[in-house]
Amino acid sequence: RWLVAGRASRRLVLVVVFVALLLDNMLLTVVVPIVPTFLYTTEYEGTNSSVAPARTEPAPPALKAPPFSSMFSYFDNSMVTVSGSMSAVDLANGTESSHLPQPLASSPPLPSRCPEGEEFLAKENIRVGLLFASKALVQLLINPSVGLLTNRIGYHIPMFIGFIIMFLSTVMFAFSGTYTLLFIARALQGIGSSFSSVAGLGMLASVYTDDFERGNAMGIALGGLALGVLIGAPFGSVMYAFVGKSSPFLVLAFLALLDGALQLCILQPSKISPESTKGTPVFTLLRDPYILVAAGALCFSNMGVAMLEPTLPIWMMQTMCSPKWQLGMAFLPASISYLIGTNLFGILANKMGRWLCSLIGMAVVGISLLCVPLAKNIYGLIGPNSGLGFAIGMVDSSMMPIMGYLVDLRHTSVYGNVYAIADVAFCMGFAIGPSTGGAIVRAIGFPWLMIIIGVINIAYAPLCWYLRNPPAKEEKIAILSQECPMQTKSYTTQKTLRDFPLTDDSDVEAE
């Protein structure tokens, strides 16, 4: 009885979608502070193992061994006395000895924590950006197919497939030790995320048919997305710094198993339930200018934070000399404000106008991005990142319900394809952002990257005005699709009345 009641409850469906988006975005952001430092530790410090003795060498000078030469340690800015037995190390470090006078002349106290290898970090911007973008690129390619699949078999089976793939990806992240394996795990996550997000949002839109209720439900579901982003980066940085790389992913794998059990209880993953009405084709929806404007707002507003994910931790390592745990904590203000923004404007956007809410949001996104390079330490990032997260919450909580409303107004009320387009727009931001962001940082620097994407957001914001009062494309079809049960009943009645005069037999009249 509990299962039957639960499967009929719209709120429990909302809970399932909330948890799925939460775990997906926790995995999305938990890698943000881990991957740059993990690759630096395993690849740069691993290949430059000759530097390691200099790091652990402050103890031998305390021994009574006679000194033969002095060497400067780049890690703690101190002179290290090397005994005669270390002459092989001196030869190995011969390339570095020519640069000894320069650090001795100026040894500021703060940069002692700064990592070496400026050239390696510059190249790492591109590699980390491509790794982060791989998830969105794969998701971009898979989304249209998932939209068609949901029209044919319903939302339940794709939702469960998404859980299985996400679980495999999480386990692979936990035990991957090379860049290639991390890249494959990230791409696999894109497939699982495509199934979960398209099926989840489409399910919500089909369950909550009233536009006002749908806006509130979308705001709550996006709160799960926000909570995942909120917890992911700080959780990953703290666990990686104090427990190890595998620990955050193993915790997420356990939570994913709980999500799978919840889906088995609430949903019916073995049930095929195709849509009764054929949905509007994806290419027809893509020719609708109003849907394109809404998709562009989703894409460009999220592209800003997508560019920050791979580049901000490395910029902090270079300019602020930040320790590992701070690299994820820098995203905490953005995540908290995004959580507040999505829940607040899920309700307010309907009252103030979703077009106005998204217009203001995109303008604030641009201003916040312009302020990020002005920060001199982690505390200076609190204001810009808070404004960025709050503004993206405004845009997302406005645009997701608008997508469903535009389909109701201008097309057939089947939501798989339109939320595939919404997810494609979201993924384009997270695909173009990290992949091009790393290259732009290497070419002209991090501040110019923020200026470029900030100006793009401010310039795009006025286009949201076109969503103020979108016209119905074919008013008759929209009315028929909204009142389908009533029209079917009247059609059946008319057919019976038309057949009645043709026969005088009482049996036919009874029929």
Side-chain angles (χ1 to χ4, degrees):
R1 288 179 183 177
W2 183 85
L3 282 176
V4 171
R7 285 171 178 171
S9 170
R10 297 190 301 176
R11 290 185 178 180
L12 287 178
V13 171
L14 179 56
V15 168
V16 169
V17 177
F18 180 93
V19 173
L21 291 177
L22 169 71
L23 292 176
D24 180 21
N25 287 277
M26 274 191 76
L27 184 59
L28 176 74
T29 55
V30 79
V31 300
V32 169
I34 293 176
V35 168
T37 49
F38 177 73
L39 291 177
Y40 178 82
T41 303
T42 55
E43 296 186 2
Y44 181 77
E45 292 184 354
T47 53
N48 293 274
S49 56
S50 59
V51 181
R55 191 174 186 176
T56 57
E57 210 44 43
L63 302 175
K64 299 287 185 176
F68 282 88
S69 62
S70 297
M71 185 170 66
F72 182 79
S73 170
Y74 286 92
F75 287 89
D76 49 11
N77 288 342
S78 61
M79 293 302 297
V80 179
T81 306
V82 184
S83 61
S85 61
M86 297 300 292
S87 58
V89 178
D90 289 336
L91 290 172
N93 289 332
T95 56
E96 294 179 8
S97 61
S98 60
H99 301 288
L100 291 180
Q102 188 177 359
L104 285 170
S106 60
S107 57
L110 182 61
S112 59
R113 296 177 301 175
C114 286
E116 285 185 323
E118 289 287 329
E119 184 61 27
F120 177 84
L121 289 172
K123 290 179 182 176
E124 194 181 12
N125 267 307
I126 298 174
R127 297 177 71 224
V128 172
L130 288 174
L131 188 144
F132 287 173
S134 63
K135 182 253 184 191
L137 285 169
V138 171
Q139 194 170 343
L140 195 66
L141 298 173
I142 298 294
N143 274 341
S145 305
V146 177
L148 293 172
L149 187 66
T150 56
N151 289 345
R152 296 194 177 187
I153 65 172
Y155 301 110
H156 295 213
I157 295 174
M159 195 81 180
F160 195 72
I161 292 172
F163 145 71
I164 294 171
I165 298 174
M166 290 289 293
F167 176 75
L168 294 175
S169 170
T170 309
V171 173
M172 191 171 179
F173 264 118
F175 299 105
S176 296
T178 63
Y179 179 84
T180 305
L181 290 176
L182 289 171
F183 192 93
I184 295 170
R186 185 73 167 180
L188 191 64
Q189 184 198 350
I191 300 174
S193 183
S194 179
F195 278 91
S196 296
S197 55
V198 173
L201 293 171
M203 191 186 303
L204 278 185
S206 63
V207 169
Y208 288 89
T209 52
D210 180 71
D211 187 52
F212 180 73
E213 289 183 346
R214 183 186 294 161
N216 293 346
M218 290 286 180
I220 294 169
L222 290 172
L225 186 151
L227 195 61
V229 174
L230 166 68
I231 300 170
F235 172 72
S237 61
V238 172
M239 291 287 281
Y240 175 52
F242 299 107
V243 184
K245 182 185 82 74
S246 299
S247 55
F249 299 109
L250 292 176
V251 172
L252 285 180
F254 175 73
L255 293 175
L257 285 177
L258 295 180
D259 175 51
L262 184 66
Q263 288 191 28
L264 283 174
C265 292
I266 306 301
L267 305 181
Q268 294 171 282
S270 60
K271 180 183 176 184
I272 296 177
S273 52
E275 293 286 349
S276 56
T277 312
K278 188 178 179 183
T280 309
V282 174
F283 294 106
T284 304
L285 295 176
L286 285 173
R287 288 196 293 269
D288 189 325
Y290 297 95
I291 289 177
L292 288 178
V293 169
L298 282 172
C299 177
F300 288 118
S301 61
N302 285 281
M303 193 182 291
V305 75
M307 285 183 168
L308 277 180
E309 281 186 355
T311 56
L312 183 62
I314 296 173
W315 183 68
M316 289 172 67
M317 289 166 67
Q318 290 176 311
T319 60
M320 303 178 188
C321 309
S322 301
K324 290 179 184 177
W325 65 270
Q326 284 190 4
L327 302 182
M329 296 299 286
F331 292 93
L332 187 61
S335 306
I336 293 173
S337 57
Y338 183 84
L339 181 63
I340 296 169
T342 50
N343 283 282
L344 185 64
F345 286 95
I347 300 168
L348 282 182
N350 199 42
K351 296 180 179 179
M352 65 183 285
R354 289 177 181 144
W355 69 274
L356 180 62
C357 186
S358 56
L359 189 150
I360 295 170
M362 290 202 72
V364 176
V365 165
I367 294 168
S368 300
L369 289 169
L370 293 175
C371 295
V372 168
L374 303 178
K376 302 300 180 185
N377 51 45
I378 190 172
Y379 303 107
L381 291 170
I382 293 174
N385 281 359
S386 297
L388 180 65
F390 193 78
I392 294 174
M394 291 175 70
V395 177
D396 287 358
S397 59
S398 304
M399 288 296 109
M400 287 299 184
I402 276 183
M403 286 291 202
Y405 175 71
L406 287 172
V407 166
D408 285 340
L409 189 68
R410 298 169 59 79
H411 305 280
T412 309
S413 296
V414 178
Y415 306 100
N417 285 340
V418 76
Y419 282 109
I421 291 172
D423 208 41
V424 162
F426 189 82
C427 293
M428 280 186 69
F430 276 87
I432 298 171
S435 55
T436 59
I440 293 172
V441 167
R442 192 177 183 190
I444 57 178
F446 179 80
W448 277 106
L449 172 69
M450 293 295 100
I451 291 171
I452 290 169
I453 188 62
V455 169
I456 288 173
N457 271 274
I458 294 171
Y460 191 91
L463 291 178
C464 296
W465 184 84
Y466 289 103
L467 299 173
R468 182 171 58 94
N469 190 19
K473 201 168 189 179
E474 295 176 14
E475 198 170 346
K476 248 183 180 178
I477 292 177
I479 292 170
L480 284 173
S481 64
Q482 287 170 5
E483 298 178 359
C484 188
M486 290 298 293
Q487 294 294 328
T488 305
K489 287 178 184 177
S490 63
Y491 178 75
T492 307
T493 307
Q494 287 174 7
K495 186 174 182 182
T496 306
L497 290 171
R498 189 179 62 185
D499 289 344
F500 177 70
L502 299 178
T503 59
D504 297 325
D505 193 87
S506 58
D507 292 336
V508 177
E509 185 181 349
E511 287 178 7

